[in-house]
Amino acid sequence: MDETTTRAYILLHNVSKKHNVGTLTRIATAFNVTTIVLTGNAHYNVFGCQGASAYAKFVHKRTLEDAVRWLKEDCACEIVGVEIDESAVPLPDARHAWCGEQPNVRSRAFFMGNEGHGLSEREISLCDKLVYIPQYGVGSTASLNVAVAAGVVLSAFAEAAAFAQCNKQGAKFDVAERPRRTQTRGFAEDDEEREMRIQARRLAREKAAHGDDDDDIDNPPPSLDTLFSES
Amino acid sequence: MDETTTRAYILLHNVSKKHNVGTLTRIATAFNVTTIVLTGNAHYNVFGCQGASAYAKFVHKRTLEDAVRWLKEDCACEIVGVEIDESAVPLPDARHAWCGEQPNVRSRAFFMGNEGHGLSEREISLCDKLVYIPQYGVGSTASLNVAVAAGVVLSAFAEAAAFAQCNKQGAKFDVAERPRRTQTRGFAEDDEEREMRIQARRLAREKAAHGDDDDDIDNPPPSLDTLFSES
Ligand SMILES: C[S@@+](CC[C@H](N)C(=O)[O-])C[C@H]1O[C@@H](n2cnc3c(N)ncnc32)[C@H](O)[C@@H]1O
Ligand SMILES: C[S@@+](CC[C@H](N)C(=O)[O-])C[C@H]1O[C@@H](n2cnc3c(N)ncnc32)[C@H](O)[C@@H]1O
């Protein structure tokens, strides 16, 4: 992977609320996220994405650890957990630091928490950094909706990374011609198939070495066809 | 009104999608918006606000012109339309300009467009300024969801206005004790009643002066009880 090109990724683990993936996909692609990495259970659909799923690449990894390894090693990413936490940096400070890396802003994967319970301690332990979005005033809501939080963070990163702005006309941004479905599917399936071969080999090695203690191992990964049904 | 205190307002005209007001209320209060101004038809509920509606003040004005006048004259606001438009300023530039006003950042009312068709030309003509949120990449979606757009803009304004940050503990921001319902209601109704008396007088004057050409005039404003039902 070309390490001089800044890329933004989204990482989601065990997506629970069906509609969030669709909403997140629309937001992600608006801010130049080209790959959304899903791990573990991924029974969801992309309802609410307004067609944006055609422009995003979905990658499925069986475990969170696999996803993190892929993002760090193959994509040269820093993993940024987006969560309210004592050790989290306020977003304006993070944006400032990202801007300071110009012209070689490092790629980042933004790990969004579950709508109900947020990022778990285990999930947080896999992050390189945490950022939070300051909230203001007397206090009226404990947190933002995950989609809004993603929008705020991704727009800050896109600004800092100085991604190329999309053209607009009148009251709309231009929408590129919809990529041919077969092509997108094809790519995703190739990746997934290759990934499954690699994982199968690693799993066999790991099993031999220290027994089977990964709770995801017994569930075969769902096929991409059932995963990515657009409704 | 104390003109040295910076305040953020939200302005909504003829809200159509029922749930958006609730979602917008949660976002607005997270970024220290204390007053949400609604005009015209306002058949909505605050579903989705996660209780945040108890912390927001809702003001209903019969016409958009009344709302704009109130915001400018009584609240010393600049009206900022949030819309993708040729004449709109990119949000990072607007944030920079707002920061430059410190320590006396002017109060702003952010006018959000309708989810379906955005701000109309008439609505745009009532704004002092327009801002848009840059979108990036090849182009995958013509616009953001209105709630996400509000979150991105309001967080930028809260940062620039240097509003006091809300305290947080663990994975949550503090939530202040819920204001007593009767008190909030009481305030809103007092405002509304006073407002209706003033409007009735002005309408009578206007009718006398140049005939009745306001399309909202014939619809009596709905009572606050039917307006603000929390479901
Ligand atoms: C509804 S929140 C999850 C629960 C939240 N931790 C709580 O206890 O209220 C959903 C997700 O949105 C993101 N999020 C929401 N508000 C945030 C904020 N102010 N700063 C950073 N992330 C936030 C995080 O990824 C979080 O896990
Ligand atoms: C779904 S958009 C409305 C339709 C949009 N003008 C279109 O033609 O696709 C809903 C509202 O969200 C806000 N909005 C969405 N994306 C925006 C952006 N990139 N910049 C500024 N406002 C935006 C505007 O207030 C807009 O009226």
Side-chain angles (χ1 to χ4, degrees):
Chain A
M1 173 127 341
D2 170 17
E3 300 205 8
T4 62
T5 304
T6 310
R7 288 197 173 77
Y9 298 79
I10 289 241
L11 172 59
L12 299 173
H13 180 54
N14 279 342
V15 172
S16 64
K17 284 205 184 174
K18 271 180 147 186
H19 287 190
N20 276 340
V21 175
T23 310
L24 281 169
T25 301
R26 181 177 175 196
I27 297 163
T29 57
F31 296 119
N32 200 33
V33 169
T34 44
T35 306
I36 297 170
V37 182
L38 301 152
T39 68
N41 310 326
H43 299 286
Y44 72 93
N45 63 43
V46 292
F47 179 83
C49 77
Q50 305 265 340
S53 69
Y55 305 89
K57 186 171 159 187
F58 292 92
V59 168
H60 180 260
K61 298 289 169 181
R62 203 200 284 242
T63 70
L64 183 55
E65 285 73 10
D66 288 335
V68 166
R69 201 177 301 122
W70 182 73
L71 283 164
K72 287 187 170 195
E73 293 175 9
D74 294 12
C75 313
C77 275
E78 181 178 69
I79 312 289
V80 179
V82 179
E83 191 56 87
I84 305 157
D85 190 84
E86 299 301 333
S87 65
V89 175
L91 181 62
D93 296 2
R95 188 187 63 227
H96 193 76
W98 297 331
C99 282
E101 295 176 6
Q102 276 176 15
N104 290 310
V105 179
R106 191 169 168 196
S107 293
R108 258 95 188 179
F110 293 97
F111 191 4
M112 303 305 304
N114 179 288
E115 185 62 34
H117 47 71
L119 290 178
S120 69
E121 278 185 34
R122 173 183 158 232
E123 289 166 348
I124 285 181
S125 73
L126 291 169
C127 298
D128 297 313
K129 288 264 166 65
L130 292 177
V131 296
Y132 79 94
I133 300 156
Q135 298 182 194
Y136 303 83
V138 293
S140 56
T141 183
S143 60
L144 302 164
N145 162 296
V146 63
V148 174
V152 172
V153 170
L154 292 171
S155 79
F157 185 68
E159 179 189 338
F163 286 147
Q165 278 195 39
C166 185
N167 294 323
K168 57 190 179 60
Q169 226 167 5
K172 289 182 198 298
F173 280 92
D174 294 348
V175 175
E177 215 187 308
R178 203 179 161 94
R180 271 181 38 238
R181 186 78 207 173
T182 47
Q183 193 192 350
T184 316
R185 278 258 165 108
F187 282 152
E189 284 170 351
D190 284 347
D191 278 350
E192 177 77 356
E193 283 164 17
R194 191 171 49 85
E195 180 56 29
M196 279 172 67
R197 275 199 307 279
I198 297 168
Q199 280 197 29
R201 249 181 287 140
R202 199 185 43 242
L203 286 175
R205 267 203 310 276
E206 284 175 3
K207 243 178 167 146
H210 58 71
D212 180 355
D213 58 5
D214 184 319
D215 46 322
D216 285 315
I217 275 174
D218 289 327
N219 305 314
S223 86
L224 282 180
D225 271 356
T226 60
L227 274 175
F228 305 132
S229 60
E230 192 158 349
S231 71
Chain B
M1 171 129 337
D2 170 16
E3 298 206 8
T4 62
T5 304
T6 309
R7 288 197 173 75
Y9 299 78
I10 290 243
L11 172 59
L12 300 173
H13 181 56
N14 279 344
V15 172
S16 63
K17 285 205 183 173
K18 270 181 148 188
H19 287 192
N20 275 341
V21 175
T23 309
L24 281 170
T25 301
R26 181 177 174 197
I27 297 161
T29 57
F31 296 120
N32 200 32
V33 170
T34 45
T35 305
I36 297 169
V37 182
L38 300 153
T39 67
N41 309 329
H43 299 288
Y44 73 95
N45 62 43
V46 290
F47 179 83
C49 76
Q50 305 267 339
S53 67
Y55 306 89
K57 186 173 161 185
F58 292 92
V59 167
H60 181 260
K61 299 287 168 183
R62 201 198 288 240
T63 70
L64 183 55
E65 285 74 10
D66 288 334
V68 166
R69 200 177 302 121
W70 182 74
L71 284 164
K72 288 188 170 195
E73 292 175 10
D74 294 11
C75 313
C77 276
E78 181 179 69
I79 311 289
V80 180
V82 178
E83 191 56 87
I84 305 157
D85 190 83
E86 300 301 334
S87 65
V89 175
L91 181 62
D93 295 1
R95 188 186 64 227
H96 193 76
W98 297 331
C99 281
E101 296 176 6
Q102 278 176 13
N104 290 311
V105 179
R106 190 168 168 197
S107 294
R108 257 94 188 180
F110 294 96
F111 190 3
M112 304 305 305
N114 180 287
E115 186 61 36
H117 47 70
L119 290 177
S120 68
E121 277 184 36
R122 174 184 158 233
E123 288 165 348
I124 286 182
S125 73
L126 291 169
C127 298
D128 297 312
K129 288 263 165 63
L130 291 177
V131 297
Y132 78 94
I133 301 156
Q135 298 182 193
Y136 302 84
V138 293
S140 58
T141 182
S143 60
L144 302 164
N145 160 299
V146 64
V148 174
V152 173
V153 170
L154 292 172
S155 79
F157 185 68
E159 180 188 338
F163 286 146
Q165 277 195 36
C166 185
N167 294 323
K168 58 190 178 60
Q169 226 167 4
K172 289 181 197 300
F173 280 92
D174 294 348
V175 175
E177 215 187 309
R178 205 179 160 94
R180 275 184 35 239
R181 187 74 206 174
T182 48
Q183 194 193 347
T184 316
R185 279 257 164 109
F187 282 151
E189 284 170 353
D190 284 346
D191 279 348
E192 177 77 355
E193 283 164 15
R194 192 171 49 85
E195 181 55 27
M196 280 173 66
R197 276 198 307 277
I198 296 167
Q199 281 199 28
R201 249 181 288 140
R202 199 184 44 242
L203 286 175
R205 268 203 310 275
E206 285 175 5
K207 241 175 166 149
H210 58 71
D212 180 356
D213 58 4
D214 183 320
D215 43 325
D216 286 315
I217 275 176
D218 291 326
N219 305 314
S223 88
L224 281 181
D225 272 355
T226 60
L227 275 175
F228 306 131
S229 60
E230 191 158 351
S231 70

